[in-house]
Amino acid sequence: MSNNPYREDREALKELIIQYQHLKHGRSHPYLEEEAFERIIDYYDEKDDLQEAMEAADMGLEQFPYSASLMIKKADLLLATRKYKEALSLLETAELFDSTDLNLFILKTDAYLALDQPAKAAELLESALQLFDGEERLDLLFELADVYDDYEEFDKVFDCLQLILEEDPNNEEALYKICFWTDFTGRNEESIKLHQSIIEENPFSELAWFNLAAAFQGLKLYEKAIDAYQYAVAIDEKFDYAYRNMGDAYLRLRKYKEAIEVLEKVLELSRPEDVIYEAIGHCYHRMGKYAQARFNYKKAVHLNAGDSKLHYKIAVTYMLEEQWQAAAKQLENAMRMNRTIPEYNLAMGECMMNLGKFKDAIIYFGTAVKHKSKSVAGWEALLRCLINADMLEEAYEQCIAAFMATGEKPVFYYYATAILLELGRTKEALLKLEAGMEKSPKLLKKLLDLNPSVLQNNQVVDIVARYKKGKKI
């Protein structure tokens, strides 16, 4: 007996092709069985010689005109050459001779989809489900799920995957796919019940634990999600996606130390990614460890130098340490990529103001409010800068503009009060203060931040005292 069955099979196929060529050219040859033609068609199909494969199919059908399997082979080739209607017609003929071939339904589905008839494809597969069981039924369910996806019946995609897992709880393809569709359709409760039942039967299915955790996470049940992810990584300690999602869950719970630990595990198990370094940087940032935050943000930048947001985040860590020059350098990098983003202009304005470069700061703050005119924070930053630069007339004009642009936010009554008091326009200042106290007395702290000595003014104190007692003028 041969020790190399693969070689024997290859030699047999080679001999078959020679016999077929003899038949094709009218030479003497042994009789070719139906199965031989199927192998010949497959051989040419795999070599991407569709014309030769089609000729073999036609010759086979000349000898075996009632062969459903050869008709199906030819229909497959017709689909590959975009002859969809011809393929569909041939498949309907094949169905008369053999309606139990799974490929018949798969190819008819492909034809209907190619002809932009997804409803017919779905109807065909739904009826075919009654005819098959076992692996063939599962194949049909996967095919039906793809049809529903094309048809944008997304809940039905979930239903198909659920049916597959009810029949085959360990089906990896379905376990992978249903995680995405659970998130997409929001059917987290059903996913939890499904995967809990799978885990009861197979407690060592790391994918089932992962999907269960993801469904908990979808419902914002982060503690339960973390518990399930921990089971997943206990079964498969190299399950990097479980560590990744667990890191996100810890972040949501503001457990930054734990998040860092699992995110660093992701870096050990998979290729470095900017988003992971960025997430670790965010954790250190929230913990007030700005140097370590910067270290990780910079690692993220090395992997994704074109992300302006990363340069901005590095700048913010410098700003929190009052390292204005270093922050400005990072913001320059960010603004080379995106000059008009209001947050970048606000931050740069803050740096320039703290470096005493008021003219530059005003330009940056002005750009911020130009691109985001309803932002109270942008207007406040511009007004503070103008006040610090002792440009009080300009500050008052901009204060009126801010009031109008933001829909008459009461905070600007207090800015107007501070500016008018500095300009010596006390009567107008007191009227603005009264208007502010009428609309929002809690914002009085804005005035005190701008001018702490304002409470030494008896007229101001009188107005504040009256409103504190609940009285109006």
Side-chain angles (χ1 to χ4, degrees):
M1 290 182 67
S2 170
N3 291 324
N4 195 340
Y6 171 74
R7 184 177 177 182
E8 273 191 4
D9 189 58
R10 190 175 58 184
E11 290 297 325
L13 178 59
K14 187 177 178 181
E15 181 62 31
L16 202 58
I17 298 301
I18 292 169
Q19 292 170 13
Y20 164 71
Q21 289 296 332
H22 285 169
L23 168 65
K24 185 178 173 183
H25 294 99
R27 304 189 194 107
S28 63
H29 60 87
Y31 178 76
L32 292 176
E33 299 284 352
E34 181 181 346
E35 186 183 343
F37 279 103
E38 291 178 26
R39 290 189 69 192
I40 293 163
I41 295 165
D42 288 341
Y43 170 78
Y44 286 116
D45 190 11
E46 287 167 12
K47 289 172 69 71
D48 287 328
D49 190 344
L50 296 183
Q51 184 177 343
E52 193 70 58
M54 187 71 79
E55 286 182 24
D58 286 335
M59 289 183 73
L61 282 168
E62 282 177 16
Q63 293 200 29
F64 303 97
Y66 307 115
S67 168
S69 59
L70 288 175
M71 291 180 198
I72 291 168
K73 291 280 185 190
K74 183 177 177 180
D76 194 9
L77 297 170
L78 289 168
L79 286 172
T81 53
R82 300 184 180 180
K83 296 175 181 176
Y84 306 122
K85 290 183 179 178
E86 196 177 334
L88 196 55
S89 175
L90 186 58
L91 288 167
E92 285 169 356
T93 302
E95 191 173 2
L96 297 174
F97 297 102
D98 183 3
S99 61
T100 63
D101 190 320
L102 179 69
N103 290 315
L104 178 75
F105 296 94
I106 301 293
L107 294 178
K108 282 184 82 172
T109 299
D110 291 343
Y112 281 132
L113 290 175
L115 292 167
D116 197 24
Q117 297 177 18
K120 281 191 176 181
E123 186 181 345
L124 170 72
L125 291 172
E126 286 165 0
S127 61
L129 286 174
Q130 314 304 319
L131 305 174
F132 297 92
D133 54 22
E135 286 296 324
E136 290 182 320
R137 177 176 161 81
L138 297 182
D139 288 342
L140 282 176
L141 282 167
F142 275 120
E143 193 75 19
L144 185 55
D146 289 341
V147 171
Y148 285 138
D149 187 4
D150 288 338
Y151 200 13
E152 296 190 358
E153 291 276 1
F154 301 127
D155 277 306
K156 289 184 177 180
V157 178
F158 181 94
D159 293 338
C160 287
L161 296 170
Q162 187 170 20
L163 284 171
I164 291 167
L165 288 169
E166 285 170 359
E167 293 187 28
D168 181 11
N170 294 316
N171 191 295
E172 283 197 10
E173 185 181 353
L175 284 167
Y176 278 115
K177 286 184 173 180
I178 203 167
C179 187
F180 168 81
W181 287 107
T182 299
D183 181 56
F184 192 87
T185 59
R187 292 169 68 174
N188 292 293
E189 293 90 344
E190 290 167 84
S191 184
I192 288 168
K193 289 177 184 175
L194 172 66
H195 289 95
Q196 283 175 335
S197 67
I198 292 172
I199 287 164
E200 283 179 17
E201 295 294 320
N202 186 0
F204 296 104
S205 171
E206 70 274 19
L207 289 175
W209 280 110
F210 178 87
N211 290 353
L212 176 64
F216 280 132
Q217 200 158 357
L219 294 174
K220 300 183 179 180
L221 300 171
Y222 300 118
E223 295 283 6
K224 287 187 174 183
I226 289 166
D227 288 343
Y229 284 130
Q230 285 175 338
Y231 276 107
V233 298
I235 298 164
D236 179 3
E237 61 184 17
K238 294 185 178 180
F239 199 162
D240 59 317
Y241 277 96
Y243 287 111
R244 181 190 299 258
N245 284 15
M246 201 191 312
D248 179 71
Y250 277 125
L251 267 170
R252 306 282 181 179
L253 293 170
R254 299 182 183 179
K255 294 185 175 182
Y256 300 119
K257 184 180 176 183
E258 292 87 345
I260 290 168
E261 287 176 8
V262 294
L263 291 170
E264 285 179 342
K265 190 72 176 175
V266 176
L267 293 173
E268 288 176 26
L269 295 170
S270 59
R271 290 176 61 188
E273 290 182 63
D274 57 296
V275 291
I276 302 300
Y277 282 118
E278 183 182 354
I280 294 171
H282 175 78
C283 292
Y284 281 119
H285 192 144
R286 290 293 186 180
M287 293 165 73
K289 297 182 177 181
Y290 303 125
Q292 286 167 286
R294 262 196 308 278
F295 176 77
N296 283 281
Y297 287 148
K298 286 180 178 180
K299 284 201 167 189
V301 166
H302 288 313
L303 294 170
N304 188 4
D307 188 346
S308 63
K309 174 170 52 68
L310 292 170
H311 294 281
Y312 170 72
K313 289 187 173 187
I314 294 169
V316 171
T317 65
Y318 281 124
M319 290 173 72
L320 290 165
E321 293 177 339
E322 298 186 2
Q323 296 188 52
W324 306 110
Q325 196 69 54
K329 185 177 178 182
Q330 290 296 327
L331 288 167
E332 283 171 10
N333 293 335
M335 294 179 77
R336 269 196 288 270
M337 302 171 215
N338 259 312
R339 184 155 295 279
T340 59
I341 291 180
E343 287 75 15
Y344 298 178
N345 281 278
L346 280 176
M348 185 65 97
E350 198 72 32
C351 291
M352 293 298 105
M353 186 169 66
N354 281 280
L355 290 168
K357 299 179 180 180
F358 293 108
K359 185 176 179 181
D360 291 336
I362 290 164
I363 292 170
Y364 286 115
F365 288 137
T367 302
V369 298
K370 178 184 175 182
H371 290 284
K372 203 172 181 181
S373 61
K374 293 182 180 180
S375 168
V376 172
W379 285 107
E380 285 193 77
L382 175 60
L383 293 175
R384 283 197 310 272
C385 185
L386 289 167
I387 293 167
N388 288 338
D390 205 26
M391 298 172 65
L392 298 174
E393 293 288 354
E394 175 69 15
Y396 187 62
E397 285 182 25
Q398 293 299 328
C399 189
I400 295 168
F403 184 72
M404 300 304 295
T406 60
E408 302 186 356
K409 294 292 183 186
V411 66
F412 296 110
Y413 285 124
Y414 294 99
Y415 276 91
T417 301
I419 295 164
L420 289 167
L421 285 171
E422 286 293 319
L423 287 168
R425 294 158 63 177
T426 306
K427 187 175 180 181
E428 292 174 77
L430 296 174
L431 288 171
K432 294 293 183 186
L433 177 59
E434 286 184 13
M437 294 297 290
E438 174 75 31
K439 294 286 185 182
S440 183
K442 290 181 180 179
L443 290 172
L444 175 66
K445 60 185 178 182
K446 289 287 183 179
L447 176 60
L448 301 179
D449 289 341
L450 289 165
N451 185 357
S453 64
V454 75
L455 290 180
Q456 293 173 12
N457 184 315
N458 290 333
Q459 291 172 294
V460 169
V461 172
D462 286 345
I463 292 171
V464 172
R466 282 200 300 275
Y467 277 90
K468 278 191 175 181
K469 291 175 183 176
K471 294 179 182 177
K472 307 282 195 316
I473 293 173

